[in-house]
Amino acid sequence: MMHLKSVKGRIGISIRDIWEAKKRISSLVYKTPLIQSAVLSEKMGRRVFLKLENVHEIGAFKVRGAANKILSLSSEERGRGIATYSTGNHGMAVAYVAKKLGVKAVVCLSNRVPKAKIDSLKRLGAKIDIYGDSQDAAGERCYELERMEGLTVIQPFDDPYVIAGQGTIGLELLEELPNLTDVIVPLSGGGLLSGIGLAVKSNDKGIRVSGVCMEKSAVMHESLKAGQPVLLEESETLADSLLGGIGLDNRYTFRMVQEYMDNAYLIPEEEIAYSMAFIIDKHRMIMEGAAATGIAAILGGKIPRQEGDVAVIISGHNVDLSVIHRVIQDYAICNDGWG
Ligand SMILES: *Cc1c(COP(=O)(O)O)cnc(C)c1O
């Protein structure tokens, strides 16, 4: 259970929950590599490290939170099964963990979800429940399954166990980087930033945590400005994993991001595209648009040139080959080749 002792006595998740998560998920989730980027270090004049959360089998960090949540369910709850309505990396993470643990997982999807996504969820052994023609309808179906069949809905970010699971990334950073002063974190619902922020600031309050996301539909950003969760239209973006609301009834991540985020940077689409291609060029590595927002913050000179080491969370690599093709072509043109 979550400890009553909490951060500043009001949020209800403590660093101990993150240590417990680390233990709980250790059989399912490996420590990910941290590599220094020579090219980004040179540009910034300080050491820049990439935390490679793209190397998880599902290609994104979300397996940490999903594993911590599902492993914390009682055996009865696990026996009844779990459900989610995420089409993206969270849905994949839930299906993956459920398969590893032999738990039944139902993913509720609208009939607009492309077949490729449905197929990859099916490959992970998830049962697909197609319902309605919007994400909202799929969500309603999911909660109906919870009421009718006792399935547990696994939230993508606004859940203490999910937040603590993502926070294990922060513990891994602290182990390897004693001179860490800046962490750059892609931000959507805020589970990733809340967990990492709690972990690193429990060690040293001076570590700066920056949240990065695309310019349009930056829901957390607008919510913080408004002082409460707001709704926004979704727009087309390369950082599609950062789309989605934070929930008008947000319980944890809004306040945690408010508390732990020192700076927020909004990244234009061209800079996300350029950064994706830049990393392919310089590191021969693929990252999805959401993850490239952190690289763009550095390339765009947004992170102050102070002292200490910088860590960028490379949150995932799930992007269509056609998108990679497009960003590489544009990059080759604007760089006049690959020199
Ligand atoms: C989910 C996700 C994020 C954002 O995580 P939140 O906890 O929702 O803020 C960032 N990058 C990738 C690749 C993701 O899948």
Side-chain angles (χ1 to χ4, degrees):
M1 273 312 298
M2 287 295 130
H3 300 284
L4 292 174
K5 178 172 162 281
S6 67
V7 183
K8 293 192 181 160
R10 57 194 183 98
I11 292 168
I13 306 174
S14 80
I15 184 70
R16 273 191 61 187
D17 296 309
I18 302 183
W19 284 106
E20 279 178 13
K22 185 179 164 75
K23 248 189 284 174
R24 195 179 287 119
I25 70 178
S26 62
S27 60
L28 276 180
V29 178
Y30 300 107
K31 182 174 177 176
T32 52
L34 180 78
I35 62 166
Q36 188 177 346
S37 168
V39 59
L40 293 176
S41 299
E42 193 176 316
K43 275 190 192 295
M44 276 209 81
R46 50 200 281 220
R47 298 198 303 170
V48 177
F49 292 85
L50 309 181
K51 179 64 169 163
L52 301 184
E53 290 298 304
N54 53 316
V55 305
H56 294 290
E57 209 172 312
I58 62 145
F61 73 89
K62 289 227 171 50
V63 65
R64 294 177 186 260
N68 193 43
K69 177 65 182 183
I70 297 167
L71 284 164
S72 71
L73 298 177
S74 69
S75 51
E76 277 129 58
E77 287 169 322
R78 283 203 230 173
R80 287 197 297 269
I82 58 181
T84 180
Y85 51 98
S86 156
T87 59
N89 291 330
H90 175 67
M92 298 283 286
V94 168
Y96 172 81
V97 172
K99 185 177 184 185
K100 289 273 174 189
L101 298 175
V103 173
K104 177 178 89 166
V106 179
V107 185
C108 302
L109 302 173
S110 82
N111 57 28
R112 297 201 177 179
V113 174
K115 187 166 174 304
K117 281 195 172 174
I118 297 180
D119 288 345
S120 44
L121 286 164
K122 275 190 183 156
R123 266 198 300 282
L124 286 169
K127 188 166 166 280
I128 306 297
D129 192 330
I130 307 256
Y131 195 85
D133 54 13
S134 73
Q135 184 72 356
D136 284 350
E140 279 165 30
R141 173 67 182 156
C142 205
Y143 286 101
E144 188 178 289
L145 289 176
E146 181 169 63
R147 284 192 307 274
M148 315 276 281
E149 298 180 21
L151 301 185
T152 302
V153 176
I154 309 296
Q155 297 283 348
F157 53 85
D158 202 26
D159 178 289
Y161 288 95
V162 171
I163 293 167
Q166 324 304 26
T168 58
I169 297 170
L171 298 182
E172 292 177 17
L173 291 178
L174 293 170
E175 265 170 46
E176 289 193 60
L177 297 175
N179 294 320
L180 181 67
T181 54
D182 282 273
V183 188
I184 303 173
V185 189
L187 174 66
S188 175
L192 181 62
L193 192 142
S194 298
I196 292 177
L198 170 56
V200 301
K201 285 184 189 275
S202 299
N203 186 66
D204 176 356
K205 281 207 169 16
I207 296 177
R208 285 178 295 268
V209 176
S210 298
V212 281
C213 74
M214 63 283 177
E215 272 182 337
K216 288 184 192 147
S217 316
V219 180
M220 182 62 87
H221 189 78
E222 291 302 322
S223 300
L224 291 170
K225 276 206 295 199
Q228 63 185 48
V230 298
L231 292 174
L232 289 183
E233 286 275 317
E234 289 193 357
S235 347
E236 189 76 16
T237 174
L238 282 166
D240 55 303
S241 289
L242 302 183
L243 286 172
I246 67 165
L248 292 180
D249 53 353
N250 188 292
R251 293 176 63 200
Y252 303 95
T253 60
F254 176 70
R255 284 188 301 164
M256 289 182 80
V257 172
Q258 207 169 33
E259 178 156 343
Y260 299 135
M261 185 167 73
D262 298 289
N263 305 298
Y265 302 112
L266 301 184
I267 313 291
E269 289 300 308
E270 319 81 73
E271 292 182 23
I272 300 175
Y274 181 87
S275 301
M276 289 169 77
F278 178 88
I279 290 295
I280 294 174
D281 184 14
K282 306 297 184 195
H283 280 276
R284 290 296 188 263
M285 199 166 71
I286 287 171
M287 54 183 68
E288 56 178 283
T293 56
I295 303 295
I298 290 183
L299 291 178
K302 294 194 161 71
I303 308 300
R305 293 172 170 275
Q306 286 158 337
E307 303 266 281
D309 294 339
V310 183
V312 188
I313 309 301
I314 307 305
S315 51
H317 72 188
N318 292 320
V319 50
D320 282 352
L321 291 180
S322 60
V323 174
I324 294 171
H325 181 75
R326 202 177 75 221
V327 299
I328 287 178
Q329 270 185 330
D330 293 349
Y331 178 87
I333 293 165
C334 77
N335 280 278
D336 200 13
W338 288 79

